[in-house]
Amino acid sequence: MKDFDIHIQTRLLFGPGNEKKFYDHIISVGKRIFVVIGGGSVKRLGYLDRITQGLKKSDAQILLFEGIEPNPTSKTINKAAKEASEFKADVILAVGGGSVMDASKAIAGLVYTGEDDIWPYVLGGKKMGRMKGAVPIAAVPTTAATASEVTPYAVISNPETNGKSPIGYPFMRPTVSWLNPEFTLELPPTTTRDGASDILSHVFENYLLGGNASPLSDRYSEGIIKTVVETLPLVIAEPDNYELRARLLWASNLALNGYQHAGREPSGFVMHSIEHAISGFYPNIAHGRGLATIYPAYFRWMWKHDRCRDRLAQLGERIFDIDKDDVSYASLLFITRFEEWLQSNELYQSLTDIGVKEESFDDIAQYAVDVYGNGKELQAYPQRCCAGRRPGCPRSRQRQKTNGIRQKDF
Ligand code: NZQ
Ligand code: ZN
């Protein structure tokens, strides 16, 4: 078991029964509430009215900002932050998916610092790491996907540079989040599937590169994977089933709330590095969809280069009851079975199927390694790996002829 440090200050309120507690908590923080939403789905579905009416009973003053786009842009965030500053917001309240929650965190940071542009603060930017604080944030997730309602991260896009890059500070974790599965009952099948893919990716990223040091984290992760693998087809068949939606929403939170990596080696989040680069170049691609597209190539690449086969085999045994005596065979069988699952859930496609042109592959890969890697490769091996120095290490063979993940089979 490796050392770890976890400090999650977000109060998590789950279920409709906690509605009043949520409003009371927000009001106890401040009454000038800047509410941020996306393209209007939460308005259309009545969620926004329900929440603003609830807050107004406690004399809250509310200013609404509408129009955060999926894969939120720095331009829209900057505009919203100006309005929130002029309003002298005490609290930024996000009602929406990961895009709205991420935008709200960035807005909260800009309001606190008095700055007018978020882009220099992202990973790779000139002011990276220099943000000093954020106005308190509250969140109501309406997708089961990112766990942004509890994470310290926000992922920002800048279409002018084809960039998509994160910002992360402990003070960007929301102070309170209300996870109400009712708000996910109307999610369309595609968004539901994209979200499930994102949840799984958060578990895989930690699991595959995290090593064997934390058996309890393994069981915890496998529980999330199994829940999502079993629940997604049921939800698609019965979209307005509260209990099923609740399972996915809670799974999404558990997958990235910080507990999963406890006792493990840190992970380079390779699939996320690549996916963020993809949707930076193609903002119409949903994050979870991009990830689903990467899984098969990444898993097979790992297998081919003899990385983490033991971890893939263990997943095979525990998710699909595959006998793992022969690790090489069992790990490959896990990949195949998982691909079949993707297929049966309409999540199996190539990059070109989802609109990525082959001529942009190199630019995407370069962006990924420049911003998320060391300029040459991503960290697709356990962090405390010998980096190729130990005889027989798969990485030493790898180093001789490739740039890691940038090679052509990506
Ligand atoms: O814009 P609106 O009208 O709200 O419509 C949205 C959007 O079109 C719609 N939607 C949301 N809730 C709905 C709904 N439609 C019907 N019923 C509802 N209840 O769904 C569409 C997608 O929304 P979006 O917020 O973009 O999706 P998601 O929650 O998957 O968030 C994706 C963003 O989060 C980032 C991703 O990179 C991407 O930018 N991530 C954030 C993370 C974090 N903060 O920790 C971690 C993740 O790995 C991820 O990178
Ligand atoms: Zn993700």
Side-chain angles (χ1 to χ4, degrees), residues 32-282:
R32 298 182 70 79
I33 303 164
F34 189 75
V35 180
V36 182
I37 66 169
S41 60
V42 301
K43 216 177 188 179
R44 178 173 51 80
L45 295 164
Y47 310 155
L48 180 69
D49 262 1
R50 174 170 164 183
I51 292 166
T52 51
Q53 293 311 320
L55 286 166
K56 280 180 184 162
K57 283 187 192 144
S58 305
D59 298 331
Q61 293 173 57
I62 290 172
L63 184 66
L64 176 68
F65 185 90
E66 184 172 355
I68 299 296
E69 53 281 270
N71 296 325
T73 65
S74 50
K75 192 173 168 197
T76 308
I77 287 165
N78 296 344
K79 183 167 171 265
K82 187 164 180 289
E83 290 182 24
S85 293
E86 285 165 3
F87 176 63
K88 299 193 187 329
D90 300 319
V91 182
I92 312 293
L93 168 59
V95 184
S99 297
V100 169
M101 291 188 280
D102 286 7
S104 300
K105 293 173 181 179
I107 293 164
L110 286 180
V111 172
Y112 183 93
T113 52
E115 295 273 342
D116 59 6
D117 187 8
I118 196 69
W119 190 247
Y121 285 98
V122 301
L123 179 67
K126 286 196 295 276
K127 295 183 183 173
M128 184 180 99
R130 285 202 253 145
M131 192 158 269
K132 295 281 180 268
V135 170
I137 301 149
V140 182
T142 62
T143 58
T146 63
S148 182
E149 74 277 2
V150 71
T151 73
Y153 315 114
V155 190
I156 316 295
S157 291
N158 182 354
E160 283 164 28
T161 61
N162 292 326
K164 181 167 174 179
S165 182
I167 180 171
Y169 296 95
F171 52 74
M172 281 195 175
R173 286 189 203 270
T175 172
V176 61
S177 290
W178 181 29
L179 295 86
N180 183 357
E182 290 173 346
F183 295 150
T184 65
L185 293 174
E186 302 290 336
L187 276 167
T190 305
T191 321
T192 305
R193 291 186 173 110
D194 295 347
S197 160
D198 192 24
I199 302 170
L200 290 172
S201 74
H202 298 151
V203 185
F204 286 136
E205 297 270 31
N206 274 300
Y207 195 102
L208 294 177
L209 299 179
N212 297 319
S214 188
L216 179 56
S217 290
D218 287 358
R219 292 298 190 182
Y220 170 39
S221 305
E222 291 148 9
I224 299 169
I225 296 176
K226 199 131 180 128
T227 301
V228 174
V229 163
E230 286 171 359
T231 309
L232 178 62
L234 303 177
V235 167
I236 296 299
E238 218 184 320
D240 54 359
N241 183 317
Y242 175 92
E243 289 304 324
L244 296 173
R245 290 287 189 185
R247 277 186 224 165
L248 280 190
L249 186 58
W250 186 226
S252 70
N253 187 284
L254 291 176
L256 202 60
N257 67 4
Y259 279 97
Q260 202 213 147
H261 69 244
R264 287 180 171 155
E265 300 286 1
S267 157
F269 266 62
V270 174
M271 290 188 285
H272 275 71
S273 308
I274 300 170
E275 195 299 307
H276 288 164
I278 292 172
S279 50
F281 279 75
Y282 293 88

Side-chain angles (χ1 to χ4, degrees), residues 198-409:
D198 192 24
I199 302 170
L200 290 172
S201 74
H202 298 151
V203 185
F204 286 136
E205 297 270 31
N206 274 300
Y207 195 102
L208 294 177
L209 299 179
N212 297 319
S214 188
L216 179 56
S217 290
D218 287 358
R219 292 298 190 182
Y220 170 39
S221 305
E222 291 148 9
I224 299 169
I225 296 176
K226 199 131 180 128
T227 301
V228 174
V229 163
E230 286 171 359
T231 309
L232 178 62
L234 303 177
V235 167
I236 296 299
E238 218 184 320
D240 54 359
N241 183 317
Y242 175 92
E243 289 304 324
L244 296 173
R245 290 287 189 185
R247 277 186 224 165
L248 280 190
L249 186 58
W250 186 226
S252 70
N253 187 284
L254 291 176
L256 202 60
N257 67 4
Y259 279 97
Q260 202 213 147
H261 69 244
R264 287 180 171 155
E265 300 286 1
S267 157
F269 266 62
V270 174
M271 290 188 285
H272 275 71
S273 308
I274 300 170
E275 195 299 307
H276 288 164
I278 292 172
S279 50
F281 279 75
Y282 293 88
N284 291 334
I285 295 179
H287 174 60
R289 184 63 45 174
L291 287 163
T293 310
I294 294 166
Y295 285 134
Y298 178 61
F299 288 178
R300 285 181 180 274
W301 182 89
M302 295 280 258
W303 189 87
K304 187 170 153 193
H305 296 280
D306 200 6
R307 297 183 190 192
C308 308
R309 283 191 188 177
D310 58 329
R311 306 293 287 162
L312 289 162
Q314 183 168 292
L315 281 176
E317 181 188 47
R318 296 184 182 174
I319 307 299
F320 295 128
D321 295 322
I322 295 168
D323 187 311
K324 74 172 172 62
D325 280 354
D326 179 343
V327 169
S328 169
Y329 177 75
S331 48
L332 194 55
L333 193 54
F334 166 74
I335 297 171
T336 311
R337 292 288 302 277
F338 186 67
E339 287 170 352
E340 285 164 10
W341 183 86
L342 289 173
Q343 261 160 3
S344 64
N345 287 284
E346 297 182 25
L347 282 165
Y348 188 82
Q349 65 275 292
S350 70
L351 281 179
T352 45
D353 287 341
I354 60 168
V356 180
K357 296 198 168 61
E358 232 174 295
E359 54 264 32
S360 41
F361 283 8
D362 279 348
D363 290 338
I364 290 170
Q366 192 62 53
Y367 183 87
V369 296
D370 284 348
V371 173
Y372 293 91
N374 61 8
K376 289 186 176 159
E377 63 179 5
L378 296 169
Q379 187 218 306
Y381 46 86
Q383 195 152 84
R384 284 173 208 162
C385 158
C386 67
R389 285 184 288 275
R390 208 172 45 224
C393 168
R395 233 196 128 209
S396 61
R397 295 197 296 277
Q398 185 65 15
R399 285 171 86 198
Q400 291 158 17
K401 53 183 185 337
T402 75
N403 268 344
I405 203 79
R406 275 198 65 204
Q407 63 183 305
K408 62 178 168 34
D409 53 349

